[in-house]
Every structure is written in C-alpha cells, then in structure tokens.
Amino acid sequence: MDLNSSLGAGAQYIAGKLTEGTGTEPFQVVNPADGTVVRSVTLASEADVDTAVAAAKAALPEWSGATPGARSEALLRLAGILAERAEEFARVETAQTGKPIKLSTEFDVPGTIDNTSFFAGAARNLEGKAAGEYSGDHTSYVRREAIGVVGSISPWNYPLQMAAWKILPAVAAGNTIVLKPAELTPLTSLMFARACSDAGIPDGVVNVVTGAGRTAGERLVSHPDVAMVSFTGSTPVGRRVAELAAGTAKRTHLELGGKAPFVVFDDADLDAAVHGAVAASLINSGQDCTAATRAYVQRPLFEAFVAGVAELYAAIRLGDPLNPQTDLGPLVSYTHRDRVAGFVERARGYGANVVTGGHAPTTGHDGTDLTLGAYYRPTLITGVAQDSEVVQGEIFGPVLVALPFDTDDEGLRLANDTPYGLAASAWTQNVHRSLRATREIAAGCVWVNDHIPILSEMPHGGYKSSGYGKDMSQYSLDEYTQVKHVMFDTTAVARKDWHRTIFGDR
C-alpha cells in the first residue's frame, strides 16, 4: 500500500501541513497481522506540541467567531470527502490495526461518516435557557461559547472513530484542537485531519501530533494554553491525565476502562443470548472497552449457554484481515497479545476451566500463516471466583468469562461488582426484569437483548472508574462549550432598591 499517495510524508499535521516530528526517537507503525512495517515515523517532541498548540490558539478567534451555519457547512463537506475516500480509510485502518476489513468497511468508516454528518447538524443547535425576566427587573439569557484550545488523546483500538469522537464535537462547538493519537496507530487520524483541511476548515483548527505519552501526551495535557483535555484510554493513565490537568484547572473529559457484564436471566432467548455474547465479546478482537467480558448466566441456562458459545467460538475464522471472510484479526501488537495470554495462563494456574481457545493459532481459515502475527484464539473461561483477576481485570482481548448465578438479586450484585461502569447488557423477555436491570446496573449504557450497537444521537460514557463525560450526541457537544449568563437591567433606574443593603437607607 502506497501511503504517500494516501497521506504524504510526515506524522505531524500542524497548521494545515504534514511535517516530520523533531523528536529523537524513530518509531515504526507495524501491521500486527504479519509484522511488516506500514510506516516509519519520527515522533513529536514537546516543542512540536508547543507549535501545534500555538497554531490552534492562533486559529481560535476566526473559527470560534464563525457562525454555526458556517461550521456546519464545513462539516457537511467533510462528511462528503470521507465518503469519497471510504475504501482508502478502511484499508489503512486495517493495515495499522489488523482489524478485519469487513469491520473497517462496515463499522469504523461508516460510523465515522455518520458521526460527521450528525455533528454538522448539531453545530447549529447551541442550546441555552430562553430569555426571560426572572428577577422582574432584568432580562437574562444563556450563551454557549467555545472553551478554547482542546487537547485530546485518542486510543489505538478504534483510531479513526476515536479521532472523530474527539475532533467533531470540539470543532462543531467552535473550539480548535490538538489531537495526540496512539503512536501505534496514527495514520487514519492524520488522514482525517487532512480531510478537514480539504473540506475548508481553516488551518490550525485541527492539528495532530504523533508522539509518546510521556513526552507529547504529558506536555499537551499540562500545556497552559490548553483549556480542556479529553482522553480515552485506560483508567490508570486517565488518573494521570486528571492529575496533570488539575495543575492548571482544565476541564477534563475521561472515557476510561470497562469490564462489561452480560447478564442472562433464565427466561432469556438462549439462542439470541449465545449469538449476542459471541459478537459482543469478539468485536475488534475483544479490544473494545464496551465488549462483553463477564457473562453472568442464571443457573438453568448456564450449561447450554457455555456449550453454545464454545461451539460458535470454535467456528470463528481467523486469517488475513484483508480477506472479506475473515472474522477475527490479530491483536494490536505482539506485546498486547502476550499480555492477554498472560491473563489466561495465570487463570489456568488458579484452577480455571478453559473451555475453548486459550492459545495462539498457527494457520488461518484461508491458509494464512498466523504465527507471523499477533493472533489469539477466542477463549471461554469458567470455574473462577468473582474476585479472580480474569473477572476483575480489563483483559482487552477475545476472552469471555462465564459464571452462574441463582437469584436476580445475585446476578445484579455480581454485575456491579467491579470498579468499572461503562456498559452492560441484560437478556430477558420479562419487562419488569429488564426495567429493574436498566435501573440498577451502574453503567453509562445498558442494552436489553443486545450488546454493542452505538448511535451518533445517543451519548457514550461511563460511571465509576470508567470515567466521566460523554462522547457522541448533543450531550457531547454541550461538554465542549462553556455556559455564560448574560443579564440586562430593564428599569433604567439609577438607584436600585437592593443598593440599600450596601449603603444608605430606603
């Protein structure tokens, strides 16, 4: 794949231009399906971050002063450009992440285009309380204004979509942005930034710096000219981001880890639950913070559920991600594959039953030599305690742990028994059970009889150690604005009655 024709040279996009970083550390973007180098880049230094923030600051007056209609029109043009380049985006996304081309083509890219179209409309809807004489002597109204320069850090699991989730609400609300993508997967973020320029968004509004977290990331989060920080990634790193942002009292938006429960009650449609669990646990090779990771199944259905999931897992097709028939690609890197395998091996050590999977494959369904890539078989585990590492820790791979429960009270208690609260699902045909589950499960999203679908119109974000703030939807746009109360005196009276509380008499 000739990336120079798709992207051009350089791994930094600052003030409308692709440039090389000035850091001293070279870095290789590797295709985890076969270990080939997709691109060699020079990472950003702290000075590159400063340059990008300065570009964003310089572009802020023009962009924040543009009408909502003008910002909307630019985003509509962007949606059109993304649609024209959809195949190109999908192939690059698959090359840098290893995700199957059918996922890139049918989920990542169209989801990003839809998000862009949504925020083009949302840009024209900056809501505030209507004008009114709430005191009797004044007219008040509320303005929503841009916050300023936003510093965002996006993860490696959905590079294109997460770049869009950061960039779109920020610029729709009139902010400018510096995005630091994960250095493992920066390419489609750079392509997205270039598409913004091609859509007529002014230079400096959207900037991308490709660098390491401890240098570029920490400089961006702590930069005095950055007014808001948005981060998606692990909970431990999110705590570090919050700590750094607190040094200059920045607004923070954190979408962190997850350990989603998948609660199957004894009246559930078993076939639907089995198919739903396989899809929800294996999406993006399980590298999804909302993926189903803990299946709690009421005891009458437990054995049949485990057998059904194991049967479907065994039939999953691992192979070349560019083959449209491939179901499951590699994990993002060899290091991450080994980390996932470590969870499984330690679970074996404390007596877990690995029902299926639990090892790296050698040959794909299409004859591909999988030993060259970071592949790992879909793995189903039973026979572990609620407090075990595989139940409590975020594995972030194609691993599902199934545990039985007896009463509804127990099932919901177990579902809530982790530090995380990003997403969950409940499987039942009883409306009262479903209402109770959606009320009592502490998570930012609870699906009923499905697990994973997301919509541009609906918010995404967590409870507890899964962070705070919302991506997508009007709620996200609102978070990238600051609220200003404006008040006008309507009396034209020089000596107000309330002045006597400060000086003089009535």
Side-chain angles (χ1 to χ4, degrees):
M1 181 184 302
D2 182 9
L3 281 177
N4 283 329
S5 63
S6 299
L7 186 55
Q12 321 301 325
Y13 195 84
I14 301 173
K17 295 182 177 61
L18 274 165
T19 62
E20 290 290 356
T22 62
T24 58
E25 185 180 0
F27 190 84
Q28 292 181 329
V29 178
V30 173
N31 185 335
D34 57 14
T36 57
V37 176
V38 180
R39 185 159 191 152
S40 296
V41 302
T42 303
L43 297 181
S45 65
E46 291 187 355
D48 294 321
V49 174
D50 292 345
T51 301
V53 171
K57 185 178 179 181
L60 182 63
E62 177 188 357
W63 185 247
S64 63
T67 65
R71 294 197 292 267
S72 174
E73 289 170 4
L75 291 176
L76 283 173
R77 291 192 297 270
L78 175 60
I81 290 170
L82 296 176
E84 291 169 2
R85 301 175 186 174
E87 182 178 355
E88 186 179 23
F89 270 100
R91 290 181 68 84
V92 175
E93 192 77 332
T94 288
Q96 67 178 351
T97 63
K99 65 179 64 190
I101 191 66
K102 66 178 179 180
L103 184 65
S104 296
T105 302
E106 299 179 32
F107 184 78
D108 296 62
V109 174
T112 301
I113 295 168
D114 185 71
N115 258 247
T116 307
S117 297
F118 172 81
F119 279 108
R124 305 184 79 140
N125 187 35
L126 294 174
E127 291 186 340
K129 183 172 280 191
E133 286 72 47
Y134 297 101
S135 77
D137 293 334
H138 305 82
T139 293
S140 287
Y141 66 87
V142 170
R143 291 175 54 89
R144 284 194 176 272
E145 298 179 347
I147 295 173
V149 176
V150 177
S152 290
I153 299 175
S154 57
W156 47 257
N157 57 337
Y158 291 101
L160 176 60
Q161 282 199 313
M162 296 297 100
W165 284 16
K166 300 301 182 192
I167 292 169
L168 292 170
V171 301
N175 303 284
T176 57
I177 188 168
V178 178
L179 174 77
K180 192 203 85 66
E183 60 269 33
L184 289 174
T185 55
L187 303 179
T188 47
S189 299
L190 293 162
M191 291 168 64
F192 189 91
R194 192 178 78 169
C196 289
S197 294
D198 293 343
I201 295 174
D203 293 348
V205 172
V206 177
N207 307 273
V208 176
V209 290
T210 303
R214 290 195 177 276
T215 52
E218 295 211 353
R219 176 58 180 164
L220 180 61
V221 170
S222 58
H223 199 289
D225 289 334
V226 169
M228 174 180 174
V229 169
S230 177
F231 170 80
T232 297
S234 72
T235 296
V237 177
R239 293 191 182 106
R240 174 62 175 162
V241 167
E243 177 186 348
L244 290 170
T248 48
K250 301 182 196 306
R251 182 180 299 193
T252 54
H253 175 289
L254 303 176
E255 200 266 278
L256 308 177
K259 191 70 178 174
F262 187 100
V263 184
V264 183
F265 294 97
D266 58 14
D267 68 325
D269 181 325
L270 179 62
D271 192 48
V274 167
H275 282 80
V278 172
S281 60
L282 298 185
I283 184 171
N284 203 34
S285 298
Q287 299 167 131
D288 186 310
C289 50
T290 62
T293 60
R294 299 178 289 137
Y296 297 104
V297 185
Q298 208 149 23
R299 204 170 295 276
L301 297 185
F302 182 75
E303 288 187 7
F305 176 87
V306 169
V309 170
E311 181 181 1
L312 289 181
Y313 268 14
I316 292 295
R317 296 167 299 186
L318 288 80
D320 179 2
L322 289 175
N323 184 333
Q325 293 185 316
T326 293
D327 298 321
L328 198 71
L331 297 173
V332 74
S333 69
Y334 306 102
T335 299
H336 187 59
R337 189 268 311 275
D338 293 345
R339 177 184 176 276
V340 170
F343 273 93
V344 177
E345 291 310 308
R346 289 190 295 275
R348 278 194 176 104
Y350 51 75
N353 176 30
V354 179
V355 179
T356 187
H359 59 89
T362 57
T363 306
H365 72 97
D366 50 4
T368 301
D369 180 2
L370 301 186
T371 62
L372 299 175
Y375 290 87
Y376 198 75
R377 283 204 175 277
T379 300
L380 178 62
I381 293 175
T382 63
V384 293
Q386 173 67 12
D387 62 357
S388 62
E389 181 190 41
V390 289
V391 174
Q392 296 294 325
E394 189 176 25
I395 301 173
F396 224 61
V399 179
L400 177 65
V401 181
L403 300 93
F405 69 92
D406 292 303
T407 67
D408 289 14
D409 288 349
E410 181 189 14
L412 295 175
R413 177 181 61 77
L414 293 172
N416 283 329
D417 184 28
T418 71
Y420 300 105
L422 185 59
S425 63
W427 296 75
T428 176
Q429 298 182 73
N430 183 301
V431 65
H432 302 293
R433 266 179 164 166
S434 65
L435 287 171
R436 181 186 178 191
T438 57
R439 182 176 65 249
E440 294 188 13
I441 293 176
C445 175
V446 181
W447 294 280
V448 177
N449 296 328
D450 208 344
H451 191 118
I452 285 298
I454 56 175
L455 298 167
S456 296
E457 293 84 357
M458 290 290 109
H460 175 85
Y463 288 16
K464 304 191 293 186
S465 290
S466 291
Y468 47 82
K470 300 299 179 184
D471 290 311
M472 302 192 295
S473 80
Q474 184 71 35
Y475 294 98
S476 178
L477 182 75
D478 291 348
E479 292 200 13
Y480 286 88
T481 65
Q482 49 192 353
V483 172
K484 177 184 288 184
H485 169 215
V486 178
M487 178 180 268
F488 291 86
D489 169 63
T490 60
T491 67
V493 173
R495 180 80 185 269
K496 312 289 196 238
D497 186 57
W498 69 268
H499 290 178
R500 66 187 174 82
T501 63
I502 312 301
F503 68 98
D505 300 316
R506 186 184 294 275

